[in-house]
Amino acid sequence: MAKPVKDKETQLREQQEAETRRRQYRTNQEETRKKLKHARFEESEPVEDTDGKAQVHLPRKRFYRQRAHSNPFSDHRLEYPRSPEDMKWEKLYPQYHDKDSDSMLSKVEIADIGCGYGGLLTKLAPEYPSTLILGMEIRVQVTQYVEDRIIALREKHKDDEVNFQNISVLRGNAMKFLPNFFQKGQLSKMFFCFPDPHFKQRKHKARIITNTLLSEYAYVLREGGVVYTITDVEDLHIWMAKHLEEHPMFERLDKAWEEQDKCVSIMYNATEEGQKVTRNKGSKWIACFRRLPTPEDCD
Amino acid sequence: MKHPFQLLLANSKGTHLFVSVKNHLQVYDLSNGNVVGSWSDTVDISVPSKKQEKKVASVEELKGDKKLKNNDAKPVAVAKTPVPIQGATPIYNYIRSLNLSKDEKYLVGTTDSDKAAVIFEVDLANSENCLKIIKRQIFPKRPCAVSIGDDSDLIVADKFGDVYATTIDSEPPVDEKALTPILGHVSMLSDVKFTRFNGKKFILTGDRDEHIRITNYPKAYVVKNWLFGHHEFVSTLHIPSYDPSLLISGGGDDYLCLWKWYDNKLLAKIELRDLIAPYLTEAHMPAERFLKPDSVKEISITKILTHSVDDKKILLVLCENTNCILTFEIAGDFSVKHLQTFVTKDSIIDICLEETSGRVFASIDREEGDLVELYDLGPDGQLSVASTNMGTKITEGNHCQVESRQNFYPLYYINTLRKRSEH
Ligand SMILES: C[S@@+](CC[C@H](N)C(=O)[O-])C[C@H]1O[C@@H](n2cnc3c(N)ncnc32)[C@H](O)[C@@H]1O
């Protein structure tokens, strides 16, 4: 019952055509994105009003395929602000920008680290309507998908109460440049949903939760802020919980707390990865931690 | 020809000079130019480090100093030429950093060969060899910089971005696998400084991204803040001994940053490009594969030093692979004025300052002639050639012969920290 074998050339041609279609789709989307002047913080032109002329559809994920992993240690020339003060948040949240004083009306308080396709952002948006929520994602095309998804949602719901103006995404390496984006104590919640497991022992330093990185997360989180973690990989769960428990700036929140916290239930099934795990009938492990007060003898 | 000196470090009284040449450490008595201490790193780098038993050797290249006994004197063969491990950049038997403890009783060097910090007791009264090795602590990754606290804390920053705290003592070294970092960047660290301020202790770290981080110590899990001012890598952090609230940082930018680091305040950017431009050469252009139409000659900072003379605050700057030292005055209002560009014949590899008399030592990249030059820093902030033959004497004490420049160890590598676009 062998399938007819395609010769190499045909295979190659088909692959190329598929890639061309994907690229063409993304180019078109980029045009739309540019018209809507969304997100890119390095562009210095003023934000124009969107007149909604461009036809916006919810983007299709299959056109944004990318390798599953991106090396968090590499020097890919990421764009990031020199310092949090240099960050042009108005590009990401135009409706929260006060033109007269040229300042933002709110700061980002919730961060979804490695947000993937952005499912959590869209579910948090209506729950925290007056809080700015940011997804940070290292893969370019995945980030672009989320950008396009948010543009489409904003467009579609522009006259609704929940208009998705409070969520945004940017491409960034959270393991290297978090302090370039956020000031000390700026965040109240950080989500780590289904992070890359990096199974091999040798690669454990590539994990997004390590004892040294936790000190950086403690820096951007305010006292009382919460780190949320969820994973379907038990080993990773044990690892994350262990490192957070060992870190003097964090304290585990108990089951009772988890049960009454609405973000825990949202996080459980809001993300694309979480939904995949549900479909595959996999298990999910949760661990949440509170950021403790800075010791008195420290600055 | 002799291999040039790579690192120079004078003690505060100006009685002794500590130097490195390839895998050798030497100590010179500055009253007579005699070698009074020496040590050689004889770890065989041709053997993968895992299988390595510490091989020790008598040192051929130093055998001129017959009187000197090497510390570990069991003669075994030394690997002479570095053997690159497949695909990797070659590892050299090389001393990457040299530091003295505050009381100058201990000297700490770091080796690339076995990724170790080597701790010596300095006993200047010992006429045979003033260096006595007391501990060799191996680290999981190559140490890049070291800073010594005042309670014998030894702070070591590595290539992987991690910082470890161990102690200066003669206890047996800890198994490297049992070491856990006290703080970390996800970027190669280039410098680390332990300091005290307002009765508290801090660690300052600089990395290959453009970050400078200030961390509380010993509670190193509490970050105080980052200092944002650099666009390129950071290579050197300098805290003036006359005012520990200041920090001067430099790296791959055309400028230095002068900070009130505790207050997270950038006081001044000290522009170097126009001053140093006449001394940059083709060697400062990016390598061919990184050349772009708009590429310019690149500046990298090797050393930043400060000196306080009669209330005048003098700043000295060495840019990598240049034959000059730039001096500046830092005024009371923290404005910075260029004073002098002191030029010598050949490229300067490293400089150090002996604070008591304001004498500057420079190691020079040349094939013949003095490999060390001495300058005096006058009260007007001007450098002048010191009238002494100490440079010649010190050069005579260097017995590290090589056939040609090709056999020199890399003398200029700071610019390799520069990030090049990967796509
Ligand atoms: C397995 S996915 C999970 C995505 C999403 N949170 C979900 O639950 O559907 C992990 C994501 O983290 C991103 N990521 C990995 N390392 C990162 C880093 N250092 N900074 C930002 N994102 C990162 C990956 O590109 C990937 O999209």
Side-chain angles (χ1 to χ4, degrees), chain A residues 67-72 112-120 136-139 142 170-176 191-198 206 208 217 230 267 270-275:
Chain A
R67 269 180 53 216
H69 297 292
S70 191
N71 177 0
D112 182 8
I113 306 300
C115 66
Y117 292 97
L120 183 68
M136 195 178 268
E137 171 52 55
I138 201 168
R139 288 183 292 169
V142 176
L170 57 80
R171 182 180 177 221
N173 184 344
M175 292 167 69
K176 270 175 173 270
F191 289 90
F192 296 88
C193 298
F194 305 95
D196 294 331
H198 297 285
I208 202 139
Y217 304 153
I230 182 166
M267 158 175 92
T271 74
E272 284 66 17
E273 203 58 38
Q275 289 160 7

Side-chain angles (χ1 to χ4, degrees), chain A residues 73-75 77 80 82-83 175-177 179-180 184 205 212 215-216 219 247-249 297-299, chain B residues 160 162 183-184 186 200 202 209-211 213 216 219 221 224 226 228 230-231 262 419 421-422:
Chain A
F73 300 130
S74 98
D75 297 337
R77 274 280 170 185
Y80 47 86
R82 218 44 24 236
S83 73
M175 292 167 69
K176 270 175 173 270
F177 299 112
N180 287 65
K184 193 172 187 168
K205 197 179 151 131
T212 55
S215 304
E216 300 203 1
Y219 169 89
H247 198 284
M249 294 303 287
D297 55 352
C298 290
D299 283 297
Chain B
F160 234 49
D162 287 327
L183 70 97
V186 180
K200 292 178 186 166
F202 298 93
D209 295 326
E210 45 297 299
H211 288 141
R213 177 174 143 176
N216 290 275
K219 293 183 180 160
Y221 48 84
K224 182 183 173 311
W226 273 265
F228 295 108
H230 287 284
H231 278 70
Y262 184 83
K419 287 195 280 180
S421 160
E422 284 186 16

Side-chain angles (χ1 to χ4, degrees), chain A residues 17-31 63:
Chain A
E17 282 168 2
E19 179 47 39
T20 310
R21 272 197 307 278
R22 286 200 289 267
R23 197 176 308 127
Q24 184 57 47
Y25 180 88
R26 295 198 307 263
T27 312
N28 293 345
Q29 289 291 100
E30 193 174 333
E31 288 299 303
F63 290 107

